[in-house]
């Protein structure tokens, strides 16, 4: 909680760098932060740490990235001063009018990522929250890795919009989406087929209840990773209100579906809500808007992005299924994780 509270003022540094057009530096900092976070998590796991150690590692990585960004901002703007007394009502109105959509987007994204604990704590208790958090943490680490390609393409997409280069926008969007989908297949299929093995290796059989939420998160992760490029198109194309509407639909759909499914699915309900929200808000709403913005037909998108990946997905699924269904008492996944 303290790390999240401190991250709000610290995150202003990213906004300042983005406003100064330092998009490449922003993406480099984001990539380094993800690598640092992954390294901290790896060290925590190797030391035998649990959920508390992982939370501490993520908090340190989050704050470190913000501090480094502030150091860069101060080097670019030596006379920068931050104080609430510098703000006037006129400036506040301008800020709300200009950044209101981005604020709504950030609030909706925060709700989507953090509302699960509140949804579970009341009906199922803190014990269920602890089990669910394991699945959520694993999914978040996979997301940190997979989103880097979309983040890396953000400056290029912004430059192409500035240059009004429609054809190259189409190529970058379609190629980036195709590569992102291909890269996401392996970790997502691994989580689908080896969720129990991963949990047994890490925390033991008492937390196997996190397997079903983890599988649902894996599917949601596959969809969300693919649609990150659509979000880039809307953001860099100046369609902030459309992006805010899409994320608001994701948040409302997730919360509603989670509450409705709670009596039936229990612990897995928020993960199922996340998946349903991604389908409704991202696939059915955000993607069509992005395709219209860059003038790409849905049929071309399916033919260029989805169809080439289907054979690889089928082969990968059959391979993981065959390995998971083997007759050995210790699965291949467990052996590989022990070697690591």
């Amino acid at each position: 909680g303290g790390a999240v509270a401190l991250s709000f003022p610290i995150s202003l540094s990213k906004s300042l760098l983005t406003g100064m057009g330092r998009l490449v530096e922003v993406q480099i900092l984001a990539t380094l932060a993800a690598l640092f976070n992954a390294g901290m998590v790896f060290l925590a796991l190797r030391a035998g740490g649990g959920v508390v150690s992982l939370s501490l590692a993520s908090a340190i990585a989050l704050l470190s990235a913000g501090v480094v960004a502030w150091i860069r901002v101060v080097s670019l703007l030596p006379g920068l001063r931050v104080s609430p007394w510098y703000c006037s009502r006129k400036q506040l109105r301008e800020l709300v009018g200009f950044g209101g959509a981005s604020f709504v987007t950030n609030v909706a994204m925060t709700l989507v990522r953090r509302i699960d604990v509140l949804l579970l704590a009341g009906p199922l208790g803190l014990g269920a929250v602890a089990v669910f958090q394991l699945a959520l943490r694993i999914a978040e680490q996979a997301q940190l890795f997979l989103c880097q390609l979309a983040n890396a393409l953000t400056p290029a997409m912004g430059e192409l919009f500035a240059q009004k280069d429609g054809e190259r926008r189409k190529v970058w969007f379609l190629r980036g989406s195709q590569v992102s989908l291909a890269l996401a297949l392996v970790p997502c299929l691994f989580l689908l087929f080896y969720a129990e093995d991963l949990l047994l290796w890490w925390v033991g059989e008492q937390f196997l209840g996190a397997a079903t939420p983890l599988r649902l998160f894996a599917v949601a992760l596959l969809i969300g990773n693919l649609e990150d490029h659509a979000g880039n198109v809307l953001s860099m194309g100046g369609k902030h209100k459309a992006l805010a509407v899409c994320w608001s639909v994701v948040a409302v759909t997730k919360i509603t579906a989670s509450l409705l499914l709670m009596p039936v699915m229990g612990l897995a309900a928020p993960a199922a809500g996340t998946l349903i929200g991604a389908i409704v808000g991202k696939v059915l709403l955000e993607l069509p808007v992005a395709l219209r913005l860059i003038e790409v037909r849905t049929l071309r998108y399916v033919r260029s992005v989805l169809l080439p990946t289907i054979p690889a997905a089928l082969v990968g699924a059959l391979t993981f299924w065959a390995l998971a269904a083997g007759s050995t008492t210790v699965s291949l996944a467990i052996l590989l994780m022990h070697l690591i």
Side-chain angles (χ1 to χ4, degrees):
V4 173
L6 289 173
S7 69
F8 280 108
I10 291 178
S11 63
L12 289 174
S13 57
K14 179 181 177 182
S15 300
L16 289 170
L17 290 174
T18 302
M20 288 187 288
R22 304 274 179 169
L23 294 177
V24 175
E25 294 183 20
V26 171
Q27 297 308 321
I28 291 175
L29 286 172
T31 302
L32 292 176
L35 293 174
F36 181 62
N37 183 63
M40 293 289 291
V41 169
F42 177 76
L43 292 175
L45 291 175
R46 287 296 295 262
V51 176
V52 175
S53 298
L54 289 178
S55 300
L56 181 61
S58 298
I60 293 174
L62 176 66
L63 296 178
S64 299
V67 170
V68 172
W70 262 115
I71 293 173
R72 178 57 178 158
V73 168
V74 171
S75 69
L76 294 171
L77 302 171
L80 177 66
R81 297 291 184 272
V82 178
S83 172
W85 306 112
Y86 294 157
C87 181
S88 65
R89 291 184 178 180
K90 179 181 178 181
Q91 290 173 330
L92 186 60
R93 286 194 297 268
E94 292 177 354
L95 177 63
V96 172
F98 182 77
S102 296
F103 175 77
V104 172
T105 300
N106 290 332
V107 170
M109 291 173 66
T110 302
L111 284 175
V112 169
R113 293 167 182 168
R114 303 302 176 196
I115 198 66
D116 300 322
V117 174
L118 296 178
L119 293 174
L120 286 173
L124 301 180
L126 295 178
V129 172
V131 175
F132 182 86
Q133 282 285 83
L134 290 172
L136 183 60
R137 285 294 179 184
I138 295 172
E140 285 179 344
Q141 298 310 312
Q143 172 65 16
L144 281 174
F145 168 73
L146 293 175
C147 72
Q148 295 310 308
L149 178 60
N151 291 341
L153 293 180
T154 300
M157 188 61 69
E159 184 176 348
L160 292 176
F161 268 106
Q163 296 174 354
K164 299 181 180 180
D165 193 338
E167 287 303 315
R168 289 182 65 193
R169 280 201 303 261
K170 297 176 184 179
V171 172
W172 279 75
F173 173 75
L174 293 172
R175 294 277 179 84
S177 299
Q178 186 183 59
V179 173
S180 288
L181 183 58
L183 289 176
L185 280 176
V186 173
C188 291
L189 287 174
F190 178 85
L191 293 177
L192 279 172
F193 285 94
Y194 287 107
E196 285 92 352
D197 289 330
L198 180 60
L199 293 168
L200 281 172
W201 169 74
W202 183 19
V203 289
E205 62 181 7
Q206 67 270 26
F207 289 97
L208 283 180
T212 299
L214 183 55
R215 289 193 174 95
L216 292 170
F217 276 134
V219 180
L221 180 63
L222 188 64
I223 295 173
N225 181 66
L226 181 62
E227 300 310 315
D228 282 344
H229 294 278
N232 272 347
V233 168
L234 296 183
S235 179
M236 294 297 101
K239 302 298 182 180
H240 300 291
K241 291 183 179 179
L243 191 61
V245 170
C246 293
W247 271 103
S248 298
V249 170
V250 173
V252 172
T253 304
K254 170 180 176 167
I255 295 172
T256 304
S258 299
L259 292 174
L260 292 175
L261 292 172
M262 191 74 68
V264 180
M265 301 186 66
L267 185 66
T274 300
L275 176 57
I276 295 172
I279 293 173
V280 174
K282 288 181 167 291
V283 176
L284 300 181
L285 188 58
E286 183 180 79
L287 179 61
V289 174
L291 292 179
R292 284 197 298 270
L293 181 60
I294 59 175
E295 299 179 347
V296 172
R297 293 187 175 183
T298 303
L299 182 60
R300 181 181 177 184
Y301 178 82
V302 173
R303 187 172 60 246
S304 301
V305 177
L306 301 182
L307 290 182
T309 318
I310 290 177
L314 292 175
V315 172
L318 288 173
T319 301
F320 278 115
W321 174 81
L323 291 173
S327 60
T328 55
T329 57
V330 180
S331 73
L332 178 62
I334 290 289
L335 292 176
L336 289 176
M337 287 185 283
H338 275 299
L339 288 174
I340 294 175

